[in-house]
């Protein structure tokens, strides 16, 4: 439920982890490493297309991805992909939060990213994503696992 709980958090945990998930996506979209790192556990486990769907532990790969995205030229998108330098719209669709315990939440959603490709044509990308969040006293909520898959 909503409202202040005994732990001093002002919003319910479901709303809080959903807001934090959007904050993570904003950090990715803007390339703000400090924000992403601050929302992530140091031992974050990720399975993503960029990892060739292999399990990657820790933030080193994530940092490399942020650094390489900053260096990518404006024409760096492949045909049929949204140009990262173009105006894009990133929409979280059908989010669901399931509390596994009072300090563990699973957030699932679809993402629709639309924009213009490097060839000037409208492009839409869809993703299925899952994030697992853990709350620790003194550390707040941190994402501990992310799994992203591109859908067609």
């Amino acid at each position: 439920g909503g409202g202040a709980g005994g732990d001093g958090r002002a919003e319910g945990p479901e709303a809080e982890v959903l807001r934090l998930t959007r904050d993570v996506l904003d950090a990715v979209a803007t390339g703000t490493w400090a924000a992403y790192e601050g929302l992530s556990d140091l031992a974050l486990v990720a399975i993503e297309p960029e990892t060739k769907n292999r399990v990657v532990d820790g933030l080193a790969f994530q940092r490399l991805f942020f650094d390489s995205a900053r260096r990518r030229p404006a024409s760096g998108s492949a045909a049929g992909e949204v140009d990262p330098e173009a105006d894009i719209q990133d929409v979280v669709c059908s989010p669901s939060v399931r509390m596994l315990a009072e300090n563990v939440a699973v957030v699932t959603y679809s993402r629709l990213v639309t924009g213009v490709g490097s060839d000037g044509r409208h492009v839409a990308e869809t993703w299925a994503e899952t994030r697992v969040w853990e709350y620790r006293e003194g550390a707040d909520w941190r994402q501990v696992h992310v799994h992203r898959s591109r859908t067609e």
Side-chain angles (χ1 to χ4, degrees):
D7 60 10
R9 289 180 278 170
E11 59 189 322
E14 295 91 346
E16 188 173 4
V17 295
L18 193 52
R19 178 183 54 78
L20 293 171
T21 297
R22 292 178 194 274
D23 290 349
V24 163
L25 296 175
D26 287 345
V28 171
T30 61
T32 310
W33 172 250
Y36 187 89
E37 182 181 36
L39 293 166
S40 302
D41 187 80
L42 294 176
L44 176 72
V45 175
I47 304 169
E48 304 181 83
E50 296 84 3
T51 68
K52 302 292 186 191
N53 294 316
R54 296 205 171 36
V55 177
V56 174
D57 296 316
L59 291 177
F61 179 84
Q62 306 296 331
R63 179 63 190 250
L64 176 67
F65 186 72
F66 269 76
D67 289 347
S68 67
R70 252 197 336 261
R71 291 190 302 267
R72 189 178 307 134
S75 60
S77 64
E81 293 183 355
V82 174
D83 185 337
E85 296 298 318
D87 288 334
I88 62 169
Q89 184 174 21
D90 191 339
V91 179
V92 173
C93 306
S94 305
S96 175
V97 178
R98 180 169 182 184
M99 299 301 299
L100 299 181
E102 74 177 29
N103 69 324
V104 178
V106 176
V107 180
T108 58
Y109 52 92
S110 296
R111 245 173 90 208
L112 174 63
V113 180
T114 59
V116 177
S118 59
D119 59 1
R121 298 166 73 156
H122 181 265
V123 178
E125 298 174 356
T126 57
W127 303 87
E129 300 189 9
T130 301
R131 292 181 191 270
V132 178
W133 293 86
E134 182 180 26
Y135 183 84
R136 294 188 198 135
E137 289 297 325
D140 297 322
W141 287 99
R142 296 287 185 266
Q143 66 173 343
V144 296
H145 177 85
V146 57
H147 188 162
R148 295 185 323 113
S149 298
R150 188 151 183 192
T151 59
E152 299 303 324

